[in-house]
Amino acid sequence: MTSSLLQTSRRVLFVGLLITMWAFAAYASPVVTWTGGTYVQSSWQQTVGWSFTANQTISVSDLEWYDPSGTNLLQHVVDIWTGSGVLVGTACVGSGCAGSSWAAGYWQTPVSVSLAAGPYDIAGWVDVGDSFVWFGSTVATDPSITFNMPVFLHSTSTAFPGSNTCCGSIGFFGPNFTEGTTPEPATMVLFGSGIIGLAGVLRRKINL
């Protein structure tokens, strides 16, 4: 009996730790990643981003701006529009924006936006000298979306870029977003602590 309880305790602890580590790895992962490209300073005032199709209803938990060095101090308005140009989500993203943080190469601002299945643009405004990735060579996406094409529009403030694109590049990468379907790290810490506590209870029963 004691041996059986000990084995059960070990199994509960092992499985719980695996689940907790998996959840941490999955948290706050941007929906789009890419390879290649050059982190360049913009020569114009423009709105840059990419269009995508939501393959299902999506809950957006963060709007983001790529800043790998953490030194780009300019603020960005990051917007999501429907394919017909209706604004459905917006946030100030970057140093100095309320609620922003910098993690994994991105400034992040929490939002609560629900996207129905369908076409969208996500883009952010850059001033002259501001930075974004130019000419990404390959792109990978979360299965919940399909990446369509890069989009941009010369503009003095953020504006719906529509289907304007150029140069045959895979992408202009600055804006991104995170889905809100994965539990937050604090929740997973509590979950992992509970698993460890359960294992401890089982061990105490063994020692009685």
Side-chain angles (χ1 to χ4, degrees):
M1 184 66 177
T2 299
S3 176
S4 177
L5 282 173
L6 181 58
Q7 289 179 354
T8 300
S9 173
R10 288 173 176 170
R11 287 172 183 163
V12 168
L13 182 59
F14 179 70
V15 172
L17 289 175
L18 282 180
I19 292 172
T20 304
M21 288 188 293
W22 170 83
F24 270 115
Y27 175 71
S29 177
V31 294
V32 167
T33 57
W34 68 90
T35 62
T38 304
Y39 194 59
V40 299
Q41 292 185 334
S42 179
S43 299
W44 301 278
Q45 292 182 322
Q46 56 185 328
T47 301
V48 297
W50 39 275
S51 68
F52 66 97
T53 299
N55 300 322
Q56 61 192 48
T57 299
I58 295 174
S59 174
V60 179
S61 63
D62 294 277
L63 289 177
E64 304 167 345
W65 188 268
Y66 182 64
D67 180 16
S69 65
T71 58
N72 184 357
L73 301 181
L74 297 179
Q75 300 178 8
H76 305 87
V77 176
V78 176
D79 292 329
I80 298 180
W81 298 266
T82 66
S84 59
V86 177
L87 183 66
V88 292
T90 186
C92 173
V93 183
S95 175
C97 297
S100 297
S101 61
W102 186 72
Y106 285 94
W107 294 102
Q108 299 176 319
T109 297
V111 296
S112 180
V113 177
S114 181
L115 305 180
Y120 295 90
D121 280 7
I122 178 171
W125 188 74
V126 294
D127 204 346
V128 174
D130 201 358
S131 300
F132 63 97
V133 173
W134 171 260
F135 279 154
S137 57
T138 66
V139 65
T141 67
D142 185 275
S144 63
I145 73 164
T146 299
F147 179 90
N148 294 329
M149 64 180 181
V151 292
F152 87 106
L153 185 70
H154 288 167
S155 58
T156 56
S157 62
T158 184
F160 175 56
S163 58
N164 297 301
T165 190
C166 82
C167 314
S169 65
I170 291 294
F172 311 130
F173 298 110
N176 214 329
F177 70 90
T178 295
E179 293 184 66
T181 54
T182 304
E184 295 183 358
T187 301
M188 295 315 302
V189 167
L190 289 174
F191 175 77
S193 298
I195 291 293
I196 293 171
L198 178 58
V201 169
L202 289 172
R203 284 199 182 99
R204 282 195 295 270
K205 285 185 177 182
I206 292 170
N207 295 327
L208 291 176

